[in-house]
Amino acid sequence: MGNSRLRARDLAAATPASRDRYVDLLRVASLGVVVLGHWLMAAVTAEGQVGNLLAVVPELQAVTWVFQVMPVFFFVGGFSHALAHRSRPGYADFLRARLQRLLRPTTVFAGVWGAAALLLQLTGADGGLTGVALRLVTQPLWFIGVYLAMVALTPPLLRLHERRGWGAFAALAGGALAVDVLRFAAHVPYVEFLNFALVWLAVHQLGFLRADGMIRRPAVLAAAGLAGAAGLVALGPYPLSMVGMPGEEVSNMAPPTLALLCHGLWLVGAVELLKGPGTRLVARAGVWRAVVAANGVAMTAFLWHLTAMLGVYAALLGSGRALPAPATGAWWAQVPLRFAAAGLLTAGLVAVFRRFEAPAAPGPAAIGGGPATGGGPAAALGTTLALLGVLGLSLTGFGGLLDGHTATLIAVPVTAPAALALVLVGRLLVERAGRGTRSRRARGPGA
């Protein structure tokens, strides 16, 4: 632990003055809110069933208009991807640099849980809360699948942004509007799934606009987004909750809707309005060291936080003490204890698995003296395979491995082993893309 603190302190001290520290704060804060939200929403019963607190207490759905902050993370991603691509324009180099710290901890997480699931099912220990955990722990991987798509599409969408500015965002937002019209007015089947790309890429595009200083009136953006979301929920077929609810006919999240895009506009405008005080906060040495340390393990913590939460509930159920019914006074009184225990367990898991998130040592790109001139197609293929694999795992979970359990991914049935294989092959292609080209260039034509 001493070495990790020293590392964070050294990295914080070496931060250039030009770095936008507020963006790093937003990245850590948004993932932290997602983690806490998942811990709070899990309504586990004494029988080991997992429900949703927002379904138990529907009045709480209104708070999702503040705490559904995934759009902020994707917005920050767009900002970071724009800067990263401009500093590393080679497509294969860019993909590998951005995806290594994403795919390495993800494949380890999936491999560990896959092996555990197989062992549990072979021994018949996959019932009760354990069986629920096998289904649930992979669900947040959809976020990583969407993020992979954003990274892969950054180069062409950034070029579009540089030519059209706000027009590029408007095109994506207009596409999301058209999809919802076709979905709700014309009842065109399956068209709604296009909004997984259009809505989230529109939010991502806002990050490009921020990178070029083009969000000049955040108050207008926030007001327009909030008014748009309120109007759509009040007058249209959109539900109040900005997160998915069990059994609902229409979800704002899966697939995303125009209402969720408006919600994203409101949040982006709001965090931009807070840029001044946020920047002053993160300028403090202690705060910045904490942000640097948290950023170094954020993806590992995100991957394992549901494991920790379910572990806490398993311990409570296994203790023989009665578990309070969700949303009762006793249940709320227990929240701080559950959060503290889940936090400690997450910290332990991070200590074990954080090394897989650490940046890789400089590869042949540094030795070769420049970006790769080849490997783009292989990198794109690898990213696509990894994306499909991650999304497949988020749908299938690890339950029913021995029974051949499948889920439908873009009209194709997929199993957890097949999805994991796609992730592994995709990661291998991304990491190896372009290396041969650089190595040959480093040796020279006569080597």
Side-chain angles (χ1 to χ4, degrees):
M1 185 64 72
N3 288 339
S4 65
R5 285 200 296 265
L6 178 63
R7 177 180 174 84
R9 184 166 59 247
D10 291 344
L11 289 173
T15 303
S18 59
R19 186 176 184 91
D20 191 335
R21 300 183 182 195
Y22 182 56
V23 167
D24 296 283
L25 176 63
L26 289 177
R27 181 184 297 111
V28 168
S30 58
L31 275 186
V33 170
V34 170
V35 167
L36 294 176
H38 285 168
W39 287 350
L40 183 63
M41 286 193 299
V44 180
T45 67
E47 294 75 31
Q49 298 301 311
V50 181
N52 190 317
L53 180 65
L54 299 179
V56 178
V57 188
E59 295 80 6
L60 290 177
Q61 293 178 24
V63 305
T64 63
W65 286 51
V66 176
F67 293 108
Q68 164 49 301
V69 293
M70 197 58 81
V72 175
F73 189 89
F74 291 145
F75 163 66
V76 168
F79 175 89
S80 300
H81 295 158
L83 299 186
H85 185 259
R86 286 166 175 169
S87 66
R88 191 188 293 262
Y91 188 61
D93 282 343
F94 169 74
L95 283 185
R96 185 171 50 257
R98 301 307 292 177
L99 296 186
Q100 275 184 332
R101 291 185 65 184
L102 197 65
L103 288 178
R104 286 161 61 204
T106 300
T107 52
V108 170
F109 167 81
V112 169
W113 260 108
L118 185 59
L119 178 62
L120 288 167
Q121 290 169 59
L122 284 172
T123 58
D126 58 336
L129 185 61
T130 301
V132 175
L134 294 178
R135 296 194 305 271
L136 285 184
V137 291
T138 65
Q139 286 186 2
L141 293 182
W142 72 265
F143 147 78
I144 294 176
V146 171
Y147 203 74
L148 287 170
M150 289 176 172
V151 174
L153 292 171
T154 286
L157 288 179
L158 184 58
R159 288 194 294 270
L160 181 63
H161 155 76
E162 290 167 346
R163 289 195 298 267
R164 302 297 182 187
W166 277 99
F169 166 81
L172 290 167
L177 169 62
V179 164
D180 274 13
V181 170
L182 292 173
R183 174 186 181 184
F184 294 119
H187 306 291
V188 176
Y190 305 115
V191 69
E192 63 267 26
F193 293 104
L194 291 174
N195 268 352
F196 274 113
L198 293 169
V199 168
W200 290 129
L201 288 175
V203 174
H204 188 250
Q205 206 78 8
L206 290 171
F208 296 166
L209 292 163
R210 186 190 193 277
D212 288 339
M214 298 176 69
I215 300 180
R216 300 186 182 95
R217 297 181 178 178
V220 173
L221 194 66
L226 189 58
L232 289 170
V233 169
L235 303 175
Y238 305 94
L240 174 65
S241 175
M242 290 297 166
V243 301
M245 297 293 297
E248 63 185 355
E249 185 176 347
V250 176
S251 167
N252 281 320
M253 272 289 291
T257 64
L258 184 63
L260 185 65
L261 177 54
C262 289
H263 173 70
L265 290 174
W266 133 247
L267 285 181
V268 167
V271 298
E272 283 296 282
L273 285 171
L274 295 172
K275 181 179 178 180
T279 300
R280 289 191 293 273
L281 173 66
V282 83
R284 299 177 181 176
V287 175
W288 178 237
R289 283 196 299 270
V291 169
V292 170
N295 261 314
V297 298
M299 189 51 56
T300 303
F302 176 79
L303 286 167
W304 291 98
H305 77 280
L306 281 187
T307 303
M309 179 204 73
L310 291 166
V312 169
Y313 272 112
L316 289 172
L317 290 171
S319 69
R321 300 176 61 183
L323 195 65
T328 61
W331 186 91
W332 283 108
Q334 201 183 67
V335 165
L337 175 63
R338 291 200 306 271
F339 273 32
L344 287 173
L345 187 50
T346 300
L349 290 166
V350 166
V352 172
F353 295 107
R354 63 174 296 169
R355 65 183 182 274
F356 298 106
E357 190 176 349
I367 299 172
T373 57
L381 175 60
T383 305
T384 302
L385 294 178
L387 182 157
L388 293 174
V390 167
L391 291 179
L393 282 176
S394 74
L395 293 171
T396 64
F398 286 112
L401 283 181
L402 299 179
D403 302 324
H405 170 70
T406 65
T408 302
L409 176 65
I410 315 178
V412 176
V414 62
T415 64
L420 182 56
L422 287 174
V423 175
L424 293 172
V425 172
R427 174 187 164 186
L428 180 64
L429 286 173
V430 169
E431 292 198 351
R432 297 178 71 88
R435 287 184 176 180
T437 303
R438 279 191 302 273
S439 298
R440 288 193 295 272
R441 186 172 62 244
R443 289 194 300 267

